[in-house]
Structure formats: C-alpha cells, structure tokens
Amino acid sequence: MVGVVVTGLALVVLGWAVGGGAAAAQEGGVVVHEPPVAAPVRDPFRPPATPYGPGNRGIEYATVPGTVVRATAEGQVTFAGQVGGRLHVTIAHADGIRTSYSGLRRIDVRLGQVVRRGAVVGRAGGAFHLGARRGDAYVDPASLFAAAPDTGRPGRGELLPLEVPPGGRPPDAPDAVVHGRPAWGGALDGDVVAAGLGRALAQGPEADAGDVEGLVRPGALALATRHRLERHYAVEAHPVVRAVEVSRGLADRLDAAASAPCSHGPAPTRPVAGQRRRALLVGGLGSSSRSASVDRLRTDALGYAPDAVERFSYTLDGRPYTSPDTQGRLVAAGQRLAATIARLAEEHPGATLDLYAHSMGGVVTRLALLDLAQQGFDLGRLGIVVTMGSPHQGADLATAVAAANTGLVGNVELDVVEELVDTGLDPDGAALAELSATSPVVTMLREVGPPPPGVRLVSIAASGDVVVPLPNTQVDGARHVVVSLSGRHAHGDLVAHPETTGEIARALAGQPPRCEAPEEVIEEHLLGHGISYLEDLAGFTALSGTR
C-alpha cells in the first residue's frame, strides 16, 4: 500500500507538470491482408544486420510502369507524398500493422482518407516496394498474406522466442521475433522478420490484446515487465551501485568541462535572422494545440520570423490536438512527426529546418529521425535538433508507475488516484508506459545509440527537474547542456529560461556551450542524481509492494 501511495504521488507530480489529458484509444482488430499487385517478387524481405545496414525491409515486386497498386487491407492513409524524391503512401490498419507503398509514379489517395482492401493507392513507376511495420519493427509482408495451416485463413505473425536477434546483442531480457508461416507450415525464407518485436509488444498498454492472444502464455507479458523492472532497480535503487555510478559520471563530466571548448561572454542575439530557416516545435505529454510549454520557446530572440514557426500536431490529419492525443503509442507519434518533417522539407525546398522538442516530444523526435533515416530522407536538410527536459533514458516517475501497475491492486489504486485527483494522465496509457526506463521503446533507443549520421542533437536539462531528472536527459552523441533551474515548475520553465535561449543561440551560431566552473558541475550532477535516486526508491518500494 505504501508503494502505491508513493507512485500515486508520482502520477500526481506528472499530472501537474505536464497538464491535463485522458485515456488514449487502443488499436486492435482482425484484418485480412492481400498482395497489393499481381506481379512476381523480385527481392524478398531481408532484415538488415544493423539499424542502418544493407538489406530489404519489405518486398520488392517486378512491376512495370503504370501497374495498379492496391491497399492490402482496409485502413486510414497517414502519409501520401514525396520523400527523398520518391512518392510514398502509408496506411495504418486496425490490427496495428502499417503498410507502406513506395516507388509510385502517381498517388490516388489523400492524407486522412479511409480506404477499403483493394482500393487503388496509385500507379507504380517501375519496381514497386511494399513495407509493413508493427510499432517500430519491420515485418515480412509475406507473413500477412500466408494462409494459416488447416484453416485457410490469412496468417498473422507468430511470436516466438529468439536468443540473439540479427544485429542485436545477447539479451538478458525476453526477446522475440516474428516468423511467417505459409500454407504448408514451414518457415518462409528469411525466418526472422522483425528482430526485437517481442520487446515492442512485451508490456501491457504497448500490446493490443488481439496481437498477443494465443501467442504467449497467460501472464508472460506481465512477468517479463516485472523482470525488467527488477533488474533496473537492482542497479538504480542500490545505494552502493548507484554511488559508484554517480562517481564515475561526475568524473566524466568534470573531465569534459576541463577539456572541451567552451564560450565566455554573452550569447549571440538573433543568430538566424535573415536566414532561410524554419522552426518546428514538438510538445510533450499532456500538451494540446492550445497549450504547451514548448510554445514558450523564444523564437523571436533567436531570429525566426513569426511565419517560419510551426507546431507539430499529434493527430493523424494534422488538425488541432488535445491531451489524449499525446497519450497514444510513441512510435506512431514519431511516424506522424516524420511525415510532417518530410512535408515541410517538400514545401520549403531551400530552407533549413530546426526541430525543438520539450519533454516527451524529444523521444518522439528521436523516433521520427530513425524513421526518416530508414526512409532515406536527406537529414542534411535539418539544422539543429534541440530537446529540452526530454527523458532519453526514460522517466523515473513513469517507471515507478509501471512498477505499481505490475500488480492488480496497484493498478486499481492508481486508477482511483487518477479519478480523485484528475491529473489528466491515464496510468494505463501507452505513452506513460513507454516512457518507463525499461520499456521496449526506451530500450530500443538506448541500444541504437547516437542519432543518425548528420543530425546535430542538443539536449538541454534543468539541474533540479523533478519530472525528468538530469541523468535521464543523456543521449550518446549529443551536446549536453545544463541550466541552473530548480523547483516545481522547472520542467516547464526550462523552455523560456534565458540560459536555454542563450545555449540554443550558441548552437545555432556554431559556438560551444558556456563555460562552467567545477563546483557548478558538481552541484548540478549531485542534485540531478539525488532526485533520480529518490524517485527510483519510490518505484522500488512500489514494485516490492506488488509481490
């Protein structure tokens, strides 16, 4: 009970920090897929060994120019346009699969349109490519068309265990991949069609009941989640282990502060004034089109023209969004952001696009960058990518809520807390679960490491942020900046803080960050880790109380 009370308070803290909201809708349903063209396969699915390695993440058909391309199943068009000089269409289906149609000469659907199975999507420009994804993992499209043995019904991916996924590291957590099964019951060529998909489906709100029903034994998902949390807290909540970790991190920061270039004096003013640059702002969890902390970014002081600033919408069709729209799956939000970036790049061919994301928006931005890299988008079109108070290593409060949710009593009591306090956040929502430090999404980003080549990422943290403590904002390959800011509102106030504006201005002007004295580095580091440790203790207490 004590643990749930503590994590109830965590939910309250998240609520007043990010704003109102409500539960997000979940995907799910039985969908029948059919091949999009009547043409032989020229190149089958070949999963790459590394995130950016060679391979074929779908099926390439030997179509001729003008071949009619049809939707594999009923769904809604989430993208229809040009990426990297080629025409693409993406359709989201009720079973959680997202199909992509590439190499088109003409597009016959529009964004937001609901299409039936067999509807004409467009015309092939030559060889046509079909892709399929569930969450952040690519799936062999052939497995969607195969008939299940003895039933004649269209097949679905089968969740099976795997010791080491191709391109992966030996896992110490439950992993799985999808194997396609044709009518005769044997494995398709290229058995493994989605390394790590088990992680993407392996905990509560991140999986649709229809996706996992009959594929794993009852209770396996909850058990896998609990095991990941136990391993996490065995390190993060252990005083000796954590002390060693803090000491090593402090030594690294002091070395970097002493050796890395830094800037003295005031930051430049209006560094992008007169340049062809645009700014895209990405709000966080609980934001809306009417209210978001990222709107407080001082774009005028950075030199952007008012009409060169745009805000990303979490809705499928780009209409104004509300808090519940931010509480869906992060990978889906990343795909929508990737489509928005591609649209802006097409609409403004000579402009440089800068991305500014607050809180959860930074995680969504990193997912969008991975999506764009996989599509072959020219990331050189981007200027700087700035995340402010973003949980790149997960949010400790969200991890604590996930710990409480591993028990039925804890889950119910968190729902009661939400009902009484009305934080606006759904404790069972997908976004909150995926912000946990042990979630498949955060784990995947951690394993991927630095941003794709060509991306200049700046991660800005508030020293006393209780929503996303300093250690959680770290990401390999980024430029890290700490702003001296504490208190209940530090998470939101970070965006408009003068130090934040100054550090962004320096990055835009190609200057190094401001110089910090050793005592300042020590104070920031210990404060950030102290907050994180207390929140991890809360999560550990909650997890222990669910036994």
Side-chain angles (χ1 to χ4, degrees), residues 88-478:
H88 301 260
V89 171
T90 301
I91 300 177
H93 307 281
D95 56 357
I97 293 291
R98 217 169 58 263
T99 51
S100 58
Y101 309 76
S102 305
L104 301 176
R105 182 177 70 184
R106 189 182 83 190
I107 293 176
D108 292 320
V109 292
R110 64 183 186 280
L111 182 66
Q113 180 179 347
V114 176
V115 297
R116 294 184 177 182
R117 182 174 73 252
V120 177
V121 171
R123 304 272 178 169
F128 160 72
H129 187 274
L130 174 71
R133 278 183 283 182
R134 187 188 299 279
D136 58 312
Y138 283 85
V139 176
D140 186 352
S143 68
L144 304 176
F145 312 139
D150 304 324
T151 66
R153 297 173 58 192
R156 305 176 67 190
E158 180 179 353
L159 196 63
L160 296 175
L162 181 72
E163 292 184 357
V164 184
R169 298 182 293 189
D172 57 2
D175 286 315
V177 295
V178 170
H179 291 245
R181 290 188 179 274
W184 60 89
L188 290 173
D189 290 338
D191 241 0
V192 179
V193 300
L197 179 59
R199 289 197 299 271
L201 294 176
Q203 69 182 40
E206 300 158 48
D208 303 327
D211 292 333
V212 269
E213 183 179 1
L215 303 183
V216 292
R217 65 184 185 277
L221 298 180
L223 184 61
T225 300
R226 184 179 184 89
H227 285 169
R228 287 196 300 269
L229 287 163
E230 288 174 342
R231 282 191 296 272
H232 173 77
Y233 287 129
V235 174
E236 302 303 326
H238 193 291
V240 176
V241 176
R242 189 62 180 263
V244 172
E245 180 184 286
V246 171
S247 299
R248 288 176 177 171
L250 179 57
D252 291 341
R253 285 200 62 197
L254 288 172
D255 286 344
S259 58
C262 63
S263 295
H264 295 278
T269 58
R270 297 177 57 80
V272 302
Q275 300 181 23
R276 294 193 64 185
R277 297 183 83 119
R278 301 189 65 83
L280 177 61
L281 313 185
V282 185
L285 181 67
S287 66
S288 70
S289 292
R290 298 182 60 182
S291 176
S293 294
V294 76
D295 290 335
R296 299 161 64 185
L297 183 69
R298 299 182 60 192
T299 53
D300 55 340
L302 297 172
Y304 293 99
D307 61 354
V309 180
E310 183 171 330
R311 179 113 84 75
F312 166 67
S313 171
Y314 278 87
T315 58
L316 281 172
D317 55 6
R319 70 186 191 285
Y321 73 94
T322 60
S323 174
D325 294 315
T326 69
Q327 298 186 54
R329 299 194 63 172
L330 300 186
V331 172
Q335 292 152 3
R336 293 168 198 159
L337 177 56
T340 300
I341 294 170
R343 172 181 62 80
L344 289 175
E346 182 180 6
E347 293 175 353
H348 306 278
T352 297
L353 181 61
D354 299 314
L355 307 179
Y356 297 96
H358 178 244
S359 194
M360 183 188 80
V363 177
V364 172
T365 298
R366 287 186 65 200
L367 291 169
L369 293 175
L370 291 177
D371 199 48
L372 289 170
Q374 290 171 337
Q375 294 178 29
F377 176 82
D378 180 12
L379 293 173
R381 292 292 310 276
L382 303 181
I384 64 171
V385 178
V386 179
T387 64
M388 295 163 281
S390 293
H392 296 295
Q393 300 297 323
D396 296 326
L397 294 177
T399 311
V401 171
N405 267 329
T406 58
L408 177 60
V409 174
N411 183 280
V412 171
E413 291 185 344
L414 281 175
D415 290 338
V416 171
V417 170
E418 161 57 22
E419 188 72 23
L420 293 175
V421 184
D422 190 20
T423 65
L425 300 181
D426 178 15
D428 301 317
L432 193 57
E434 290 179 346
L435 289 175
S436 164
T438 64
S439 79
V441 172
V442 172
T443 300
M444 182 271 293
L445 288 175
R446 190 181 299 120
E447 291 177 350
V448 167
V455 174
R456 291 191 297 149
L457 178 61
V458 181
S459 177
I460 303 179
S463 57
D465 191 341
V466 298
V467 177
V468 182
L470 171 61
N472 301 60
T473 64
Q474 304 294 298
V475 54
D476 290 344

Side-chain angles (χ1 to χ4, degrees), residues 470-488:
L470 171 61
N472 301 60
T473 64
Q474 304 294 298
V475 54
D476 290 344
R479 170 173 170 170
H480 296 104
V481 178
V482 182
V483 171
S484 299
L485 181 63
S486 300
R488 167 179 170 174

Side-chain angles (χ1 to χ4, degrees), residues 11-23:
L11 186 63
V12 171
V13 172
L14 280 169
W16 56 245
V18 303

